[in-house]
Amino acid sequence: TGFDLENNDLRQVLDTGAFVDYESDYDFIDVNFRLKTDYTIFDDRLFVSPYVGGMYARFEQDFSTRLTNDSDSTDYYLLKEELKTNYWGATVGAELKVNVFGRLHAFLDGMTSFMFAHTDLDVNQNADGTVTFASTASDREDKFAIRTTESVGVSYDFNWLTVKLKGGIDYWTQVATVGYNM
């Protein structure tokens, strides 16, 4: 699974005629590999499927803020922030499945992942015009993290492919954010 959200060209015009451009980009990828086995609990109607596996996830947040005096000016201040967290880990879980009819099933799925989380933060700022400067800062952090997911839904089995429609919760103990003193 994954997503990519972009919010470009958000502009705030200040009373002085200057303007501030904000850009943001969020990327998320989540890959899970599972080895599972199915056990029949009751008369081909109720099944339990325990599984183990591995996972990789990456969450990336990019922010850019640019302050410019006016549209004709070369005076500007630019702040760019890139925050990336990579997760690797092992997964254990189980799925409880009930045969509704034919190949249609209702299910309840629960999973826990034990992960290593590596976070990189890079901040770059520069200005050009009447004041010129450039600076950079970075931070790296490694943490142990746990992820738990619970979902419910329905599935249809096409023999070689299973299609699922589900909803649920996804809780992470370690998600990197940038905090500002205000």
Side-chain angles (χ1 to χ4, degrees):
T1 60
F3 68 83
D4 180 13
L5 299 173
E6 291 187 33
N7 184 10
N8 292 319
D9 300 327
L10 178 61
R11 177 170 282 184
Q12 177 183 8
V13 179
L14 304 176
D15 293 337
T16 62
F19 52 89
V20 182
D21 291 316
Y22 301 97
E23 293 183 10
S24 60
D25 184 19
Y26 302 89
D27 297 308
F28 178 71
I29 186 167
D30 182 14
V31 179
N32 288 279
F33 300 98
R34 298 178 180 177
L35 297 172
K36 73 174 193 168
T37 187
D38 297 326
Y39 296 102
T40 302
I41 302 297
F42 179 75
D43 195 30
D44 287 337
R45 304 281 300 164
L46 182 62
F47 308 90
V48 65
S49 302
Y51 55 86
V52 297
M55 61 84 57
Y56 169 77
R58 178 182 175 100
F59 185 49
E60 183 174 340
Q61 307 165 69
D62 296 326
F63 305 104
S64 174
T65 305
R66 181 182 177 107
L67 172 64
T68 308
N69 284 340
D70 58 50
S71 60
D72 296 328
S73 176
T74 59
D75 289 350
Y76 71 89
Y77 167 76
L78 178 63
L79 174 65
K80 285 187 167 191
E81 302 167 314
E82 294 178 353
L83 181 62
K84 299 175 183 114
T85 304
N86 291 292
Y87 302 89
W88 299 270
T91 298
V92 296
E95 179 181 67
L96 183 63
K97 188 167 53 170
V98 175
N99 185 308
V100 177
F101 62 86
R103 296 181 179 181
L104 181 67
H105 296 87
F107 67 89
L108 173 64
D109 190 0
M111 174 181 80
T112 300
S113 298
F114 303 95
M115 307 174 297
F116 170 77
H118 175 76
T119 301
D120 290 318
L121 171 64
D122 294 310
V123 180
N124 297 302
Q125 61 179 346
N126 58 50
D128 197 13
T130 56
V131 176
T132 302
F133 71 88
S135 69
T136 61
S138 62
D139 192 17
R140 310 289 182 255
E141 186 172 64
D142 296 325
K143 293 266 188 171
F144 174 75
I146 296 175
R147 174 187 186 188
T148 59
T149 63
E150 311 300 329
S151 60
V152 296
V154 294
S155 65
Y156 191 83
D157 185 11
F158 290 99
N159 287 336
W160 56 273
L161 174 70
T162 301
V163 176
K164 292 183 176 184
L165 177 63
K166 66 180 181 175
I169 60 170
D170 193 353
Y171 176 76
W172 301 64
T173 61
Q174 177 66 27
V175 177
T177 58
V178 177
Y180 298 98
N181 294 330
M182 299 277 179

